[in-house]
Structure formats: C-alpha cells, structure tokens
Amino acid sequence: MEIDPVALTRELVRCPSVTPDAGAALERCARTLEPAGFACIRLEFASAGPRVPNLVATVGEGRPHLVLNGHLDVVPPGDPARWSVPPFEGVVRDGRLFGRGAADMKSGVAAMIAAVAHHLARRGLPRGRLSLFLTGDEEGPSIDGSARLVAWAIERGMPPDACLVGEPTSRERLGDLAKIGRRGSLTGRLVVRGRQGHTAYPQRADNAAHRLVQILAALLALRLDEGTPWFEPSTLQIASIDIGNPASNVIPGEARAVFNIRFNDRHSGAGLERRLRALLDSLGGDVALETSIGAEPFRTEEGPLTATLAEAVEAVTGLRPRFDTSGGTSDARFFAPHCPVVEFGLPGPTLHQTDEHVAIADIEGLARIYATFLDRFFPA
C-alpha cells in the first residue's frame, strides 16, 4: 500500500485542528493506517480541562518497540485576512504547500504514515512492534497527550524502546539538523505586597512596584551557569510585569510579574526553585512565589538510534545531520525517561507564522528518510 505524503498533508491541513480539537485529523490518520495493517486505538483524556483526542496505531508485537511520535493539533491561525491563502485549505503554490500546521507538524505525520505503509508493503511485519503515538495536545497544556500515551503503553506491557519524534528540526536544508535533547523550563509567578498610599506621601506607604523592580533586578543579575558541552547557558526572561494601577497619584500596594527560565543539565527544576526561594528570602518583604516546571532537561547519548537516523538522512540527502539541543520543549521529553529519543523533521522557518508553508520536495524527501530509517531499524 503506497500513500502520497503530500496529498495526505493537504487533507490533514483541511482539518482545522486548533488545539485540542484534533479529532477529525486523527480520525483521518486512523482511516489511512487501518488498511495498512495497523490496529488503531482511540484514547481520550481530560485531566486538564477539555477532552483531548489521541491515537495509538500499532503493528507487530514484542521488542524492540519503536514509536513514531507526532501531533495533529495546531496553534490558531490568527486573522485569516492576513494570509495570502485560506489557512485551512492546503493550497499548493510555487512548489510549496500552505496552511496552518503544514510545517508544525502535519507534514511530518503524513510523511511518517507514508513511510510505515511503504515499509510494511515491502518488508511485511516488523521483527518487533512499530507504533505511531499521535496526539492532539502538544500545542496546549501537554498533559493529556503524549505523556498519557507513554504511561498507557507502559501499563499495558508495551513500553517504548526507542522513539523518533517528527518535529520540524532541520534549519537551512532538509537533513542538516536533528535534536537529541532539550532544555528544561521553569515558570515563576511573583506577587509582591506592600501598602497602598498617596504618591505625595510616600512615607505613609510601601511601594510594591519598587520592591518588585528590586527583585527582578536581582533575578536578572543571577548568573546561572556558563553552559555545558551540549547545552547553551541557562537564561531567565521576564514575561510580564503587572501593576494594575490606573491612577498616577496612587502608590500600588501589590505588583505581579511572570518570568521563565530555560535551564540546562546543570540544574533540576527543584534545585532552581530552592535557589530562587533562597534569593527572595535574602531580600525580605512580603513576597509570594509560585513555580511550575514544564520540563526537565534531557539528552540522548549518541548510539544505535542516532546512528540509524543519521545513516538514513545521509542516504537520502547526502547530508550528515548535526545533533544539538536547541529550541523550546517538545513531546520528546515524555519519552526521554524511558528510552532513547531523537527528533527529526522538516525545515520550519514559517511554523506558527502567517502563510505557514513547506516545500513539496521536502515532504517527499522526509517520507523517504523515514522509510529508509525503518528499513535500517527493522532489517529484513
């Protein structure tokens, strides 16, 4: 059974799957995978709010268990009038396919599906288990998607032994970059309380905004580290400062701020939180800090999985991909505690942008890379 990855990408783009409403796109994948021999299991979870649809498609049994992971949910398109084409029509123009999700990452999912169908048609059942874990919760809270699918698989005695995530990782050309790790992410929310008063009588008040500025200056002065061989230096960025004071003659009694730290493997989320609280304690005042850890840093050691991918990329493109750990978080973090994981996909310079698009030739090339990877991972 042969599947055209470009035609499938267009069909998936035509499903307006703004997170977490990816049910129609996931169902389209199931209708394609079932005739190819996959058992498709629809799973929904709702621990974080609206019900999130997910799909597990699996064939074969035993080990090794290779998981191909991707997401079908997309970010909102913004004002459609700013697009040169309708964002959910999958328009092909000048050798490129346009639409929300074309780069991130419906083309990657379509290429995976085309590759697994091609592999099974030529090689038959794998010596082990081959699964696709497809989710509708990567662009959202990322609670009821891949994280739940990994736990579900482990509970049923089918833990992943290796994972390939189809995120758009290539930079200038298809095949030039793959990711073997990601930084961690910690978000901090500060509330500073003082005493409200009149700006003409500051001695009778305690300006919460002044205290907040001092705290933020101390946070920005933190030198977290100098980086590591595989990770760039950890960084702290202030995301918002909120006083909520409409009057120029009132000293605010409360001030808030949100900041985010992207941290490398010299730190853990818990360790950073302890360091932040110690700093706040040293500064004094009525300050509350709430933290949430979106991800811990991870890195996959180079080994059989990365070598197999690199060989497949080179066989198709002539390029040997460089491995790095740049960028934000991805669903790879949910597989990393359980198995080696590598991310590889299309160039994505327009992802999340108006007129998001990918090259037709790159979609076709990516499907060939994934098929070559499968042939090498599951040798005849």
Side-chain angles (χ1 to χ4, degrees):
M1 179 179 178
E2 296 295 331
I3 295 168
D4 180 350
V6 176
L8 181 56
T9 301
R10 294 186 72 186
E11 292 184 38
L12 294 176
V13 168
R14 289 167 179 164
C15 299
S17 52
V18 175
T19 191
D21 189 20
L26 288 164
E27 190 58 35
R28 181 66 188 86
C29 292
R31 292 199 307 271
T32 304
L33 287 162
E34 284 170 336
F38 283 82
C40 290
I41 304 157
R42 285 82 165 170
L43 298 168
E44 291 190 351
F45 305 106
S47 62
R51 297 193 69 81
V52 173
N54 300 278
L55 177 69
V56 172
T58 188
V59 67
E61 58 184 19
R63 305 180 84 164
H65 180 196
L66 172 66
V67 173
L68 307 183
N69 172 250
H71 67 89
L72 275 302
D73 59 320
V74 301
V75 297
D79 183 0
R82 295 183 177 273
W83 287 64
S84 66
V85 298
F88 293 115
E89 285 195 9
V91 171
V92 173
R93 186 181 69 196
D94 301 326
R96 297 175 292 175
L97 193 159
F98 289 75
R100 175 58 82 229
D104 188 18
M105 56 167 287
K106 291 182 175 181
S107 52
V109 171
M112 285 180 167
I113 292 174
V116 297
H118 179 76
H119 177 78
L120 293 179
R122 292 176 60 249
R123 297 288 187 91
L125 291 177
R127 294 182 179 179
R129 183 186 294 273
L130 171 60
S131 299
L132 286 91
F133 285 12
L134 305 179
T135 181
D137 186 31
E138 197 272 349
E139 302 290 4
S142 297
I143 293 173
D144 288 318
S146 292
R148 297 291 297 270
L149 296 181
V150 172
W152 177 90
I154 291 171
E155 289 170 1
R156 281 150 185 80
M158 42 186 282
D161 294 304
C163 178
L164 173 62
V165 180
E167 284 286 340
T169 62
S170 297
R171 187 159 294 169
E172 302 296 332
R173 293 176 53 194
L174 175 64
D176 62 3
L177 185 68
K179 296 185 186 294
I180 55 171
R182 297 276 186 158
R183 294 174 296 172
S185 175
L186 179 149
T187 296
R189 293 175 172 82
L190 286 167
V191 180
V192 179
R193 299 180 181 87
R195 186 171 64 256
Q196 192 179 71
H198 197 294
T199 55
Y201 305 98
Q203 69 275 15
R204 300 175 183 173
D206 180 4
N207 196 317
H210 289 190
R211 289 189 178 275
L212 178 62
V213 169
Q214 293 166 351
I215 290 169
L216 294 178
L219 289 174
L220 291 173
L222 281 175
R223 197 170 188 86
L224 294 171
D225 56 71
E226 302 296 331
T228 72
W230 276 103
F231 289 89
E232 57 192 276
S234 302
T235 60
L236 185 151
Q237 294 293 314
I238 297 169
S240 70
I241 299 174
D242 303 296
I243 308 298
N245 182 13
S248 64
N249 61 348
V250 173
I251 293 172
E254 184 173 285
R256 298 171 179 266
V258 178
F259 62 91
N260 179 261
I261 300 176
R262 297 299 169 122
F263 58 97
N264 60 39
D265 55 353
R266 288 192 182 277
H267 308 277
S268 67
L272 275 177
E273 182 179 0
R274 288 193 295 270
R275 186 170 175 179
L276 292 169
R277 293 191 183 282
L279 174 64
L280 295 178
D281 288 344
S282 71
L283 296 173
D286 187 353
V287 182
L289 171 66
E290 176 188 320
T291 63
S292 58
I293 300 169
E296 296 285 354
F298 71 90
R299 182 173 70 87
T300 293
E301 297 284 348
E302 293 189 57
L305 178 64
T306 57
T308 301
L309 175 66
E311 291 164 4
V313 173
E314 189 170 22
V316 174
T317 68
L319 296 175
R320 193 80 174 180
R322 180 170 65 86
F323 294 114
D324 82 0
T325 62
S326 62
T329 59
S330 76
D331 277 2
R333 68 191 189 271
F334 302 121
F335 294 88
H338 309 286
C339 68
V341 56
V342 62
E343 301 173 61
F344 177 76
L346 297 176
T350 63
L351 63 87
H352 291 201
Q353 296 182 14
T354 299
D355 274 358
E356 179 178 350
H357 64 268
V358 293
I360 296 295
D362 283 346
I363 301 175
E364 296 168 340
L366 184 62
R368 290 196 298 272
I369 291 170
Y370 288 157
T372 304
F373 169 79
L374 291 173
D375 288 348
R376 292 170 183 257
F377 190 92
F378 294 111

